[in-house]
Structures are given as structure tokens and as C-alpha cells.
């Protein structure tokens, strides 16, 4: 659910929200960069070596919003919604992992190796 001012075009707004959620999932779960210590540059310099989620990775996503009338925003009463879904989704995934594991992670992505090594040993 989003509150994003007056929506001017429902079809493009939905597309922006769904795309933002998928990007946020990628940010939270898969997208990581490593720095090459020898050259000081990113090792993943192209999309071929950097996993970006697509519709096949996230088959069913719904986006809904509450109409908002804020006359103080601008003359149209609208907001830019391109980035709204990204950060909120990554934070929601991080909170879900925290509630499931009891461990607060401060670095993304939340890959299985990071989560498993942070969990306490069974019986403790």
C-alpha cells in the first residue's frame, strides 16, 4: 500500500510501484557489489555479472494506493513515485528477516550465507 499524492495515470503508477517492489527485493536479497582490492573498482561492472530480479523471480506482486489530496505538494497535487517502492520493500524484507531470526542485519544483500552464519547455534 502506498500514499503517493494524486495519481495521474493508474496504469503507469502501478507499473512504477511493482517495479519498485521488485527492485527493492533485489536490493534486499540478491544485489551486491564487491570491490576489487587490486584496482579499487567494482568487480560487477555490467549486468551480466550482477543478478537483477525480473518477473520470473517475482511472479505475483500487487500494488495498491490510497488517493491523497494534498494541496501543498504542487499545483497538480502529485508526487514522484519512482523510488517509493524500492526502499520500503528492502526495509520490509530486512524487518521480516529480523523477526524470523532474531538477528538485526545492517548490510544488504541478505544472502543465505550471511543469514546462516549470523544465526546462533542450535541449543543456545
Amino acid at each position: 500500500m502506498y500514499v503517493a499524492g494524486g495519481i495521474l495515470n493508474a496504469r503507469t503508477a502501478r507499473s512504477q510501484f511493482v517495479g519498485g517492489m521488485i527492485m527493492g527485493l533485489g536490493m534486499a536479497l540478491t544485489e551486491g557489489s564487491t570491490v576489487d582490492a587490486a584496482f579499487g573498482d567494482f568487480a560487477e561492472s555490467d549486468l551480466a555479472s550482477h543478478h537483477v530480479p525480473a518477473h520470473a523471480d517475482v511472479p505475483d506482486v500487487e500494488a495498491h494506493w490510497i488517493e491523497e489530496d494534498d494541496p501543498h505538494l504542487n499545483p497538480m497535487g502529485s508526487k514522484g513515485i519512482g523510488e517509493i517502492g524500492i526502499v520500503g520493500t528492502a526495509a520490509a524484507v530486512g524487518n521480516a528477516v529480523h523477526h524470523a531470526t532474531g538477528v538485526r542485519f545492517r548490510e544488504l544483500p541478505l544472502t543465505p550465507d550471511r543469514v546462516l552464519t549470523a544465526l546462533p547455534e542450535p541449543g543456545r
Side-chain angles (χ1 to χ4, degrees):
M1 284 301 288
Y2 297 97
V3 177
I7 300 297
L8 304 177
N9 184 323
R11 178 175 285 183
T12 57
R14 182 190 178 285
S15 178
Q16 288 283 304
F17 288 137
V18 168
M21 284 187 275
I22 293 172
M23 287 180 72
L25 284 171
M27 178 182 176
L29 300 175
T30 64
E31 296 178 31
S33 295
T34 52
V35 176
D36 184 348
F39 297 103
D41 197 4
F42 291 105
E44 300 85 3
S45 59
D46 57 25
L47 291 177
S49 57
H50 188 84
H51 178 72
V52 179
H55 287 344
D57 297 315
V58 187
D60 188 26
V61 176
E62 292 184 21
H64 302 280
W65 54 87
I66 298 171
E67 288 288 333
E68 175 187 39
D69 183 25
D70 187 348
H72 304 291
L73 286 173
N74 56 44
M76 290 191 311
S78 61
K79 296 179 186 177
I81 59 174
E83 304 292 325
I84 292 175
I86 299 171
V87 178
T89 302
V93 171
N95 280 335
V97 171
H98 167 69
H99 289 294
T101 64
V103 179
R104 176 69 71 187
F105 293 90
R106 304 282 182 198
E107 192 173 324
L108 299 175
L110 301 170
T111 54
D113 60 324
R114 285 184 178 168
V115 173
L116 291 174
T117 56
L119 293 177
E121 292 184 30
R124 286 190 179 186

